[in-house]
């Protein structure tokens, strides 16, 4: 028998044709197509399981099937609406009487009195809010009054018009430079090219850093299906960036110390990874991630590392000078490619001022949008907004120059001492425990004895506005200068609230504890997401 390759192919062809002759031509045509569709469906399913986990995928699939049952979808929608109405807490009734069109005749200066009347309806926020207002004192005096005057003086300006308002252009450049100097730009290892821009807040700063990193890594490594990896504790602005800029997002669990788990992040890095994230500190628990280890990881894989310093940027540099044990967190760490820092928080500037910084101009250039084919002329813009409020930039500049290094050292000393006093007070309440070891001015606490969300509701009834957290269920207070005069009031009310809940467990009338608790236990996170979207859709 001839065993040559040619003879083997002839015999194989004859055998295959003989076998296939038993099937109809249409079946032979459709079989590969069907196999391809099955393979693609299986690939998509495995991809979803890999991204969301088997349990979450199964629950979502089960809920989709249940909604196909007649009447079930209507019932679920009705129950969701009940929750939305509960979350609104009478919000719709408050909208009764709101204007829906222009007045026939303008009010002129009388509108100021109208505004004063409306302002009286705002809650008492002085010292009662977690974060929110970071400047100490009242609005009519001191630093408050100073930045209000600065904003008013430049309220008409817009840095988009470089040639008309050079003062605002200078103010922005100097705010960026002064902020960068606090965060390592003067250090030898920074490279000497730190640059950036002012933005409307921490979310925009993070969005711009993600967009710039995506495009930079596309140019540098040709990545067209970008992915980023963030700790579970990282801010929700990264989820927004992932949706806006089509970046696949991986949230990985934090470690037992409530810090970013470097090993877990490393396991998720692949050829499409453009960026990893660390926070200093993280919003939920006020704990600094291991930035130096993350920098080493980013350097070894040749990817970007963004550090969220929105809360810590105007505290940590001064806390370190005051002798607090602050680990490395800024551009002095090799591997850090971008930083977001809010001036309107502990920078004590007006609301709507933040800074995004980059290690060099090569990265920042990907932040800009330039248009050459517009009939309106040539256009280039550095941030998401085109026109920007120059008054806010002026207010930020005024804040930095009016306080100076000594002013920030003093404010940092005060809020750090208040934070330590609150931590000590919470530890003296046996039913409560502090989450991790706070590095700065955020103190998160939970309980194994009473429902922490019920405590939050009782505190709300006493006028306090704290932040409810999950994983684990807890609440936190973000300490500001507003808390300095009333820290003992807070601890007294907290102790009384714990006593009330312990003696009378169960949700209070009008409280949101049942909703928070149910959301935490609900396995279908898609349904929780729908609830939040429906709530937002009905309130704005």
């Amino acid at each position: 028998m001839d065993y040559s390759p040619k003879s083997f192919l002839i015999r194989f062809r004859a055998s295959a044709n003989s076998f296939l002759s038993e099937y109809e031509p249409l079946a032979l045509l459709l079989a590969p197509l069907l196999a391809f569709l099955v393979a693609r469906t299986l690939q998509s399913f495995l991809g979803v399981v890999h991204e969301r986990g088997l349990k979450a995928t199964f629950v979502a699939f089960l809920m989709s099937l249940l909604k196909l049952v007649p009447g079930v979808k209507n019932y679920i929608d009705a129950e969701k609406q009940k929750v939305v109405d509960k979350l609104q807490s009478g919000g719709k009734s408050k909208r009764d009487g709101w204007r829906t069109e222009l007045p026939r005749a303008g009010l002129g200066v009388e509108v100021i009195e109208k505004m004063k009347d409306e302002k009286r309806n705002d809650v008492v926020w002085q010292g009662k809010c977690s974060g929110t207002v970071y400047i100490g004192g009242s609005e009519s005096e001191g630093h408050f009054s100073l930045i209000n005057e600065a904003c008013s003086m430049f309220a008409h300006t817009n840095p988009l018009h470089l040639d008309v308002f050079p003062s605002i252009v200078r103010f922005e450049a100097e705010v960026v430079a002064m902020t960068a100097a606090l965060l390592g730009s003067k250090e030898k290892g920074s490279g000497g090219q730190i640059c950036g821009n002012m933005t409307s807040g921490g979310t925009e700063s993070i969005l711009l850093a993600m967009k710039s990193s995506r495009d930079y890594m596309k140019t540098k490594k040709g990545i067209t299906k970008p992915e980023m990896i963030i700790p579970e504790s990282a801010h929700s602005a990264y989820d927004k960036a992932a949706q806006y800029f089509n970046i696949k997002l991986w949230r990985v669990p934090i470690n037992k110390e409530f810090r970013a788990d470097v090993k877990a992040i490393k396991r998720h890095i692949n050829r499409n990874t453009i960026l990893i994230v660390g926070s200093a500190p993280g919003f939920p628990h006020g704990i600094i991630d291991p930035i130096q280890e993350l920098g080493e990881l980013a350097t070894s894989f040749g990817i970007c590392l963004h550090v969220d310093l929105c809360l810590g940027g105007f505290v940590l540099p001064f806390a370190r000078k005051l002798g607090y044990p602050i680990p490395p967190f800024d551009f002095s760490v090799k591997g850090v490619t971008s930083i977001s820092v809010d001036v309107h928080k502990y920078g004590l500037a007006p609301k709507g001022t933040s800074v995004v910084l980059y290690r060099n101009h090569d990265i920042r250039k990907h932040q800009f949008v330039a248009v050459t084919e517009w009939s309106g002329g040539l256009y280039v813009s550095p941030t998401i907004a085109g026109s920007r409020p120059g008054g806010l930039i002026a207010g930020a500049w005024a804040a930095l120059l009016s306080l100076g290094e000594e002013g920030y050292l003093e404010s940092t000393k005060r809020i750090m001492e208040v934070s330590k006093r609150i931590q000590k007070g919470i530890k003296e309440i046996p039913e409560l425990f502090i989450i991790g070891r706070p590095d700065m001015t955020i103190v998160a606490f939970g309980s194994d004895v009473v429902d922490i969300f019920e405590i939050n509701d009782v505190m709300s009834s006493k006028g306090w506005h704290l932040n409810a957290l999950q994983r684990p269920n807890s609440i936190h207070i973000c300490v500001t200068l507003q808390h300095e005069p009333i820290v003992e009031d807070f601890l007294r009310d907290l102790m009384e609230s714990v006593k009330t809940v312990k003696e009378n467990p169960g949700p209070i009338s009008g409280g949101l504890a049942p909703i928070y608790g149910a959301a935490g236990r609900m396995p279908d996170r898609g349904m929780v997401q729908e609830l939040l979207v429906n709530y937002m859709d009905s309130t704005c």
Side-chain angles (χ1 to χ4, degrees), residues 213-224:
S213 299
R214 181 198 66 176
D215 294 351
Y216 172 69
M217 293 301 289
K218 182 178 180 180
T219 301
K220 181 181 177 183
K221 299 178 75 172
I223 296 175
T224 57

Side-chain angles (χ1 to χ4, degrees), residues 3-275:
Y3 291 101
S4 66
K6 182 178 180 181
S7 176
F8 172 79
L9 289 174
I10 292 172
R11 291 196 303 274
F12 175 77
R13 177 185 178 188
S15 176
N17 285 333
S18 176
F19 174 77
L20 294 174
S21 65
E22 300 177 8
Y23 298 91
E24 294 185 12
L26 183 60
L28 294 176
L29 182 65
L30 293 177
L33 180 61
L34 181 62
F36 174 75
L37 291 175
V38 170
R40 285 301 300 268
T41 302
L42 183 61
Q43 182 186 37
S44 298
F45 174 76
L46 292 175
V48 172
V49 170
H50 178 59
E51 183 174 347
R52 300 172 60 181
L54 183 60
K55 181 181 178 181
T57 303
F58 175 75
V59 170
F61 178 71
L62 182 62
M63 291 300 299
S64 298
L65 291 180
L66 284 174
K67 289 178 182 179
L68 296 176
V69 178
V72 171
K73 185 178 185 301
N74 291 336
Y75 174 77
I76 292 176
D77 289 342
E79 291 300 307
K80 284 193 297 186
Q81 189 57 47
K82 290 180 183 178
V83 176
V84 170
D85 293 340
K86 179 73 172 177
L87 285 170
Q88 286 180 323
S89 299
K92 286 184 178 179
S93 63
K94 295 176 184 177
R95 299 171 73 95
D96 293 341
W98 286 15
R99 293 184 182 275
T100 58
E101 57 186 355
L102 286 171
R104 183 175 181 83
L107 301 180
V109 295
E110 291 180 17
V111 73
I112 299 298
E113 292 303 317
K114 289 281 187 183
M115 295 176 76
K116 289 180 179 179
D117 289 341
E118 289 298 324
K119 190 174 183 180
R120 293 187 187 99
N121 295 325
D122 291 347
V123 301
V124 178
W125 50 263
Q126 288 84 352
K128 289 281 189 174
C129 295
S130 172
T132 310
V133 179
Y134 293 78
I135 302 171
S138 69
E139 300 166 82
S140 60
E141 59 186 15
H143 185 74
F144 241 132
S145 177
L146 183 146
I147 64 168
N148 286 342
E149 184 177 351
C151 289
S152 176
M153 190 185 305
F154 290 88
H156 61 286
T157 64
N158 179 0
L160 184 67
H161 302 285
L162 306 177
D163 54 335
V164 181
F165 304 114
S167 57
I168 295 299
V169 176
R170 174 178 177 174
F171 292 162
E172 178 176 12
E174 291 191 357
V175 168
V176 170
M178 287 186 284
T179 304
L182 290 175
L183 303 176
S185 69
K186 303 298 183 181
E187 299 290 332
K188 198 171 185 180
S190 72
Q193 290 192 49
I194 307 299
C195 54
N197 290 92
M198 289 191 67
T199 72
S200 62
T203 292
E204 186 183 0
S205 291
I206 289 173
L207 288 174
L208 288 171
M210 298 305 101
K211 188 266 182 191
S212 303
S213 299
R214 181 198 66 176
D215 294 351
Y216 172 69
M217 293 301 289
K218 182 178 180 180
T219 301
K220 181 181 177 183
K221 299 178 75 172
I223 296 175
T224 57
K225 295 181 178 179
E227 301 181 11
M228 61 179 174
I229 308 163
I230 69 175
E232 203 172 52
S233 56
H235 197 275
S236 54
Y238 297 101
D239 297 81
K240 187 178 286 189
Q243 291 187 37
Y244 284 3
F245 304 131
N246 196 27
I247 304 172
K248 189 171 185 178
L249 177 67
W250 296 100
R251 272 192 182 271
V252 301
I254 51 181
N255 61 25
K256 293 179 180 179
E257 297 175 336
F258 299 93
R259 304 167 80 215
D261 189 329
V262 179
K263 291 182 179 178
I265 290 174
K266 183 178 181 179
R267 287 194 294 269
H268 279 76
I269 295 177
N270 59 47
R271 63 181 182 178
N272 290 320
T273 302
I274 60 167
L275 172 136

Side-chain angles (χ1 to χ4, degrees), residues 435-449:
I435 307 293
R437 298 177 63 182
D439 288 306
M440 210 182 78
T441 52
I442 293 175
V443 185
F445 51 96
S447 177
D448 292 327
V449 180

Side-chain angles (χ1 to χ4, degrees), residues 258-260 279-282 286-291 316 325-329 437 439-440:
F258 299 93
R259 304 167 80 215
S279 304
I287 297 172
I288 299 174
D289 286 329
I291 304 301
L316 297 180
I326 306 297
F329 60 87
R437 298 177 63 182
D439 288 306
M440 210 182 78

